[in-house]
Structure formats: structure tokens, C-alpha cells
Amino acid sequence: CYVPDTLVTSEAALSRDDQVFAAADIALVVEVLSPSNARVDLVLKRHDYGAAGIAQYWIVDIQRRTLTVLSDPYPDGYQLESTVKAGEQWTATEPFTVTLDPAAFT
């Protein structure tokens, strides 16, 4: 069982008494990369979240000031949608609209 840094789910899933979300409840998982667990975030979680069918997985690397955007899950992981570097803006439209620039990550 993983505990992501941030996730996006539906109001219906939040209103249930159950404290555990099914993969179908989750639209997005965001992990902030830590040197002590980088392999888990970059390899294991990437595989497991994709295999579970979670629509998007974003990996924030504070040290390198990058955002890795993974989407279109499949049994072995995800397709790489974008690697956004500091000074570049990237706009997501799903599961909500937001524009990010890794230069602002602290």
C-alpha cells in the first residue's frame, strides 16, 4: 500500500467511510522525489500505479527542478507525456486545468 504525497479523487470517494481508495477512485497521483526513495517513486510506483490504471502520475523533482508527467497507463507503467524543466511552462487540462513551471517548485 502506497501513501502518495498528493492525489486527486472524486467527492464521492471522499464521502465514503472507507479510508482506502481503489485505483479507479484516483485520477492523479503526485510524488515529490526524495533521494532516499527515488527508486521506489521512479520504478516501483510508476509500474504499480500504471498497472492499476491510475490515469496520471506526476513526479516532482525539487533538486533538479523538473516535473515528469506520465499518462496513458498500461500493465507495465505509463507513457511519458512530458518532462518539464525549470523555466518551461506546462499546462494540464485533466483532471483539472493548471499551469506549472518547475522553477517555482520549492
Side-chain angles (χ1 to χ4, degrees), residues 1 13 17 20-22 27-29 34-35 40 45 50 58 60-61 63 66 68 70 89 91 100-101 103-104 106:
C1 178
D17 290 335
V20 177
F21 295 112
L28 166 65
V29 168
S34 169
V40 172
K45 290 181 182 179
W58 298 356
V60 175
D61 187 332
Q63 291 181 339
T66 61
T68 301
L70 304 161
Q89 288 194 344
T91 301
L100 301 170
D101 178 346
T106 58

Side-chain angles (χ1 to χ4, degrees), residues 20-66:
V20 177
F21 295 112
D25 294 329
I26 302 170
L28 166 65
V29 168
V30 180
E31 294 286 357
V32 177
L33 196 62
S34 169
S36 65
N37 71 348
R39 182 181 180 287
V40 172
D41 291 343
L42 295 172
V43 179
L44 296 177
K45 290 181 182 179
R46 181 178 182 158
H47 172 270
D48 293 347
Y49 291 152
I54 295 172
Q56 293 191 48
Y57 179 39
W58 298 356
I59 303 170
V60 175
D61 187 332
I62 300 292
Q63 291 181 339
R64 291 194 172 120
R65 303 269 187 203
T66 61

